[in-house]
Amino acid sequence: MLLAIVLLGGLLRFWDLGGVPPGLFRDEAEKGYTALELWRTGRHGEFVAGQVVATRFLPAFVEVGGAETSAIYQYLSAPIVGVFGLGRTTTRAVAALTGLLTILAAWALAVRLESGGHLEWRRGGGASPVPGGLVPRGLVPLAAAAFVAVGPTHVLFSRWAQQGITVPLFFTLGVLAVVSVPVVAQRHRRAMAAVAGLGFAAAFYGYAPARLVVPVLLLGLWWEMGGDVRRLVRAYWPSAALFFLFALPILAFAITEGSGRFNRVSVFGGRGLGKALGLFLANYAAHFDPRFLFLAGDANPRHGLAFSGLMGWAETPFFLLGLWTLRDRARAGSRLLIVWLLAAPVAAALTADGIPHALRSILFFPAVHLISARGAGLLAGWAGRRVALVALGVACVATGVLDAVALGRVAKDGASWQYGPLEALAVMDAHHPGGPNALVTDYAVYYVLFHEQPDPRDFHEQGTAALRTLVLAPGTPLPDGALVAHPPFELFARPQGIDVPALSGDPADPPAMMIRTGW
C-alpha cells in the first residue's frame, strides 16, 4: 500500500512537470541558470551597479533583485541541470523529488512515533519496544504518507522551483533522527545525533522564515524527549555542535546583510510596538482560519490549488480527530506536534503582506498531515480498521481527483506564472534569428540567460554583452530594427492556443511585456 501511495504522490508531482505550471516564474528562471553557473564554475554572477561580478567560490547565499537568499535549491539542482541540461523540467525536478521524499519521511516519522520507543528515554529507560527498527505498525503511518501525497498545497509547492519546499523534508529527517537515537544500537547513536543536527541546519539555512521557526520547534523536541537536560546533552551533543556550527554564521548573515527583505515586509515597518503586536496576533490567528486550512488557502494562486485550502477539505474530519488526540500529552508525538502546529505560522505572522501566507508557513508540513493521520488511527479504534481504511481511501481519492482537476486549471493560468517571456524569446528567435531582439520585462536578464544558456564563464566576464538578446532598462529607446513581441500581454493571458503572436519591428511600439525591470 505504501508503494501505491508513493506512486500516486509521484504522479501528482511529476506529471507534465515542465508544462504545469505554464511558462516559468521569474524566480525559477534565476534558480535554473544559477544552478548551471554553480555546476560549471562554482560561482554566481551578481549585478553590482549594473555590472556582473562573480561571487567567491561556492557562495552560501545569492543576491537576486536586491534580496539575499540561500542557494540550497540551486546547489541541489546543479547536478541535475549540469548532467541533463537546463530546462523547465530539470529546474523543477528538485522540488518534485523533495516533495516525493517528504512522503516517505512523514511515513517513517509516523512509524517511529507510533512505536513510542523514544518515550522509554523520557521515563529513564533506553530500550526500544519495537525490535527491528522501522517496522510498519497500524494505520497511522500509511495515513500520514497518504495525506502528504495528495495534500493540495504540498503538491503545488512540489511543482515549481523555490527553496521553501526543502524545509519540511530536512526538518522531518532531523526529527526522525532525534527520536531514533534512543532506539538504535549504542554505537550508532552519535552518528544518528549528527544526522539530526545536519537536518536541522539544512532546514535553518534553506528558507528565511524557517530561521525563526526551527529553534522554537527544537524546544518542542526537548519537551517531547522529557526535558532532562543532562541526559539530552550527553546523547545529543553532536546534534547541537553541528547545528550551531552551521546556524550561527547563517544567523549572523541574516541579521546583517540578509535582513533587507524582512525589513521591507515586517509588521514593525512604520508602526508602533502596540500596532505591530496587534497585527502580528491578527496575522497569526488568520493561519488557523478554517477557510485557510481547508477551503480556500491564501490568495496567491502560486500557493495552493483550487477547491482546497492548506489541506484538502476531505481531510478536515481526520485533522479534527487528530487534534483531539493531542490532549493526551503522554502519548508519543503529542508534545512535539502541539509545538510544531503552533510554531509553524510564527514567521509568516511577522510579515505584513499576503496574510495568511502558505509558503512562509510551509513548516505546517508535514505536521498537519501527521495530526490527520492520528485522527485516522482514532477512527480505526472507534469504528474498526476496515471502516477507517475505507474512509481514508475515499478522502484521499477525492482529494487526488480534485488535485488533478485543479492542476488542469493551473495549466491555463498564464498570468500567475509569468507565461510569455520565454515564449516571446522563442518566437523572436524563429522570426528574426540574426537580431537585434529586445526583451523588457521583470527579471528579463534571467529569462534571457535561461533561454540562451550562455557559458557562465562568458557571462561572468562579459556581463549582458555575452547575450544575443538585448536586456534594456525601463525608458531605454529600442535600437533601429529591433524586434519585439506584440500585442501587449496576450502571451500572459492565453498560455494555450497561441500559434505565432504578431511581431513589431517599430521601435515606437511598446514591447509586449513592458514591466519594470531592476536591471
Side-chain angles (χ1 to χ4, degrees):
M1 187 174 292
L2 178 63
L3 178 60
I5 291 170
V6 172
L7 288 175
L8 174 60
L11 180 64
L12 289 171
R13 286 161 176 79
F14 282 95
W15 168 78
D16 195 14
L17 185 60
V20 182
L24 198 74
F25 188 60
R26 61 195 183 196
D27 293 355
E28 298 183 279
E30 175 273 313
K31 286 177 172 58
Y33 188 75
T34 300
L36 185 65
E37 288 181 288
L38 294 173
W39 177 257
R40 292 188 181 174
T41 71
R43 304 176 191 275
H44 166 61
E46 294 184 347
F47 285 85
V48 179
Q51 301 298 315
V52 176
V53 177
T55 64
R56 66 177 183 272
F57 188 65
L58 299 182
F61 295 87
V62 296
E63 189 276 330
V64 180
E68 298 277 354
T69 66
S70 82
I72 191 169
Y73 193 98
Q74 291 89 329
Y75 279 115
L76 293 173
S77 290
I80 298 175
V81 167
V83 173
F84 298 102
L86 176 59
R88 305 183 200 208
T89 300
T90 54
T91 297
R92 292 170 173 169
V94 164
L97 287 169
T98 300
L100 192 65
L101 290 174
T102 305
I103 299 172
L104 293 171
W107 170 82
L109 179 57
V111 168
R112 183 58 81 201
L113 292 177
E114 288 302 298
S115 77
H118 66 286
L119 292 187
E120 295 300 307
W121 192 266
R122 188 192 300 174
R123 301 184 185 106
S128 169
V130 183
L134 288 175
V135 179
R137 295 199 175 249
L139 182 67
V140 173
L142 290 175
F147 285 131
V148 176
V150 300
T153 302
H154 194 266
V155 165
L156 187 60
F157 283 158
S158 301
R159 295 189 65 93
W160 63 285
Q162 39 80 27
Q163 65 268 33
I165 190 60
T166 66
V167 174
L169 173 63
F170 286 121
F171 185 77
T172 302
L173 292 176
V175 174
L176 176 61
V178 164
V179 298
S180 298
V181 166
V183 299
V184 298
Q186 183 72 37
R187 65 182 182 276
H188 298 313
R189 288 183 179 176
R190 287 186 179 177
M192 187 66 72
V195 169
L198 291 174
F200 296 140
F204 187 85
Y205 164 63
Y207 188 42
R211 292 167 203 155
L212 178 62
V213 179
V214 167
V216 178
L217 294 179
L218 294 181
L219 293 176
L221 263 176
W222 173 79
W223 188 32
E224 173 72 20
M225 300 302 291
D228 186 333
V229 175
R230 295 179 63 183
R231 176 178 294 172
L232 291 175
V233 168
R234 286 198 302 270
Y236 291 102
W237 69 262
S239 299
L242 284 172
F243 176 72
F244 285 110
L245 176 67
F246 289 100
L248 289 178
I250 294 168
L251 182 62
F253 179 86
I255 293 174
T256 55
E257 297 178 57
S259 62
R261 171 65 175 164
F262 177 75
N263 292 337
R264 290 195 295 270
V265 300
S266 167
V267 296
F268 298 102
R271 299 176 183 85
L273 181 60
K275 289 185 177 180
L277 179 60
L279 182 57
F280 165 76
L281 293 175
N283 291 347
Y284 182 82
H287 288 86
F288 294 98
D289 187 320
R291 291 171 296 181
F292 170 68
L293 291 176
F294 308 114
L295 300 176
D298 77 22
N300 191 327
R302 294 188 299 276
H303 294 174
L305 295 177
F307 320 120
S308 303
L310 195 74
M311 297 170 271
W313 56 263
E315 190 177 337
T316 307
F318 296 94
F319 181 75
L320 296 177
L321 287 174
L323 287 178
W324 177 253
T325 70
L326 297 182
R327 77 192 193 286
D328 180 9
R329 292 196 296 274
R331 177 177 171 180
S334 290
R335 300 181 182 191
L336 169 65
L337 290 173
I338 289 171
V339 176
W340 198 337
L341 181 68
L342 294 177
V346 168
L350 285 169
T351 62
D353 64 335
I355 299 297
H357 202 289
L359 184 56
R360 292 176 189 154
S361 59
I362 198 168
L363 267 171
F364 267 127
F365 304 119
V368 291
H369 300 307
L370 290 167
I371 293 171
S372 298
R374 285 174 53 134
L378 182 61
L379 179 60
W382 287 350
R385 180 181 174 88
R386 180 173 297 179
V387 171
L389 274 173
V390 170
L392 175 64
V394 169
C396 289
V397 169
T399 304
V401 169
L402 287 178
D403 287 351
V405 174
L407 286 173
R409 294 183 60 169
V410 169
K412 299 178 180 179
D413 182 12
S416 298
W417 297 96
Q418 297 185 330
Y419 182 97
L422 289 178
E423 289 71 20
L425 289 168
V427 168
M428 289 191 288
D429 275 356
H431 287 77
H432 203 217
N437 296 321
L439 180 68
V440 184
T441 187
D442 194 17
Y443 277 43
V445 69
Y446 282 108
Y447 285 120
V448 177
L449 287 167
F450 193 97
H451 174 71
E452 295 188 7
Q453 300 182 25
D455 188 306
R457 295 174 184 84
D458 294 337
F459 175 58
H460 295 170
E461 293 175 2
Q462 304 172 31
T464 55
L467 304 175
R468 299 190 309 272
T469 303
L470 302 174
V471 181
L472 306 176
T476 303
L478 295 174
D480 292 340
L483 190 65
V484 296
H486 204 67
F489 300 105
E490 185 172 351
L491 286 170
F492 285 97
R494 292 197 296 117
Q496 295 182 346
I498 296 176
D499 294 324
V500 179
L503 298 172
S504 172
D506 183 353
D509 282 349
M513 290 150 285
M514 179 63 82
I515 305 176
R516 288 193 59 81
T517 173
W519 313 117

